[in-house]
Amino acid sequence: MKASRIAAAGAVAGVTVLAVSVPAFAHVSVQPEGEAAKGSYAVVDFKVPNERDNASTTKLEVTFPADHPLASVMPQPVEGWEAKVTKSKLDKPLELHGKKIDEVVSKVTWTAEDKGIEPGFFQKFPVSIGTLPEDADELVFKALQTYSNKEVVRWIEVPQEGQEEPEYPAPVLALSEANDDGHHGASDDEAEKTEDGAEAENASAKTSAAGSEESGDSTDTTARVLGVVGIVVGAAGVAYGVLAGRRRTTA
């Protein structure tokens, strides 16, 4: 009986490890390149893993927050993808570099020009945004991920503090406080340089895309390894239980 219980516990442990370690990382997310300080400009990456074994990701649609509109949104060119920027009118104009802005980017759509994100890979989509709001701790970007088989995954559920992460969480960008010296990170001049340097960044985008295909995601790899280890442990437990049972029967 003891051996059988050990085998059963091992099998349950293996399945549990596999269940909790893999899906937790497989969703569209957003992270800053460096810091995303309130009142500043930042470059953020929308990271898109391919969750399917039989289809490629061919389109990503990211909706920008309407409650905190961003006056400047500029996607960096990504090799193999076409970026379309959708703008909308504002009820209350914003001010950027001393100019009144009455429309902002409400959505950016990336469409694959070739195969897209194939199974087992992920892709980053960099965007320069600003200025970040000073009266918010985070920004929520709802996203739609479309596969080559026409399946659409809606990453639009807003995570709530103190509750479990939803099944399809929307990408959330955490904002840090302004620097202690009173500056808000990137200055207006630096932001203008970022905007004017879009063409130069194209080469960096190509390198980033190639690197992502070669390196993969170490976090996802670790999760998969843990899952495989769990399965092996479970199988070993079951085998041990069976052998122990046979020995008792023979005896």
Side-chain angles (χ1 to χ4, degrees), residues 2 13 58 130 135 137 141:
K2 185 176 180 180
T58 56
D135 58 348
D137 295 323
F141 301 85

Side-chain angles (χ1 to χ4, degrees), residues 87-127:
K87 296 183 177 181
S88 61
K89 290 286 185 179
L90 290 175
D91 295 332
K92 183 180 179 180
L94 299 175
E95 188 168 319
L96 178 65
H97 305 319
K99 299 179 181 179
K100 292 290 184 179
I101 305 297
D102 61 356
E103 68 175 10
V104 295
V105 173
S106 57
K107 183 172 68 173
V108 177
T109 302
W110 288 270
T111 304
E113 297 176 328
D114 194 6
K115 296 180 180 179
I117 309 171
E118 297 186 84
F121 292 89
F122 75 94
Q123 177 67 56
K124 290 183 179 180
F125 298 90
V127 183

Side-chain angles (χ1 to χ4, degrees), residues 64 70-75 85 87 104-106 108 127-130 195:
F64 285 74
L70 300 171
S72 176
V73 175
M74 297 189 66
V85 176
K87 296 183 177 181
V104 295
V105 173
S106 57
V108 177
V127 183
S128 173
I129 59 176
E195 295 173 1

Side-chain angles (χ1 to χ4, degrees), residues 108-181:
V108 177
T109 302
W110 288 270
T111 304
E113 297 176 328
D114 194 6
K115 296 180 180 179
I117 309 171
E118 297 186 84
F121 292 89
F122 75 94
Q123 177 67 56
K124 290 183 179 180
F125 298 90
V127 183
S128 173
I129 59 176
T131 55
L132 298 175
E134 299 184 23
D135 58 348
D137 295 323
E138 62 183 25
L139 295 177
V140 178
F141 301 85
K142 297 183 178 182
L144 301 182
Q145 181 179 11
T146 302
Y147 286 90
S148 56
N149 60 4
K150 308 303 180 184
E151 177 188 3
V152 178
V153 181
R154 301 170 62 83
W155 304 101
I156 61 174
E157 298 176 12
V158 181
Q160 301 297 327
E161 186 175 356
Q163 298 183 12
E164 292 184 0
E165 184 179 71
E167 184 175 3
Y168 299 100
V172 177
L173 176 67
L175 304 181
S176 60
E177 297 297 331
N179 298 331
D180 294 337
D181 59 4

Side-chain angles (χ1 to χ4, degrees), residues 13-23 223-224 226-228 230-231:
V15 174
T16 301
V17 170
L18 180 62
V20 301
S21 61
V22 177
R224 291 172 181 169
L226 289 175
V228 172
I231 292 175

Side-chain angles (χ1 to χ4, degrees), residues 18 22-23 41 59-60 108 131 147 197 199 206 210-211 248-249:
L18 180 62
V22 177
Y41 288 81
K59 184 163 69 172
L60 173 68
V108 177
T131 55
Y147 286 90
E199 182 176 350
K206 295 179 179 179
R248 287 199 305 273
T249 301

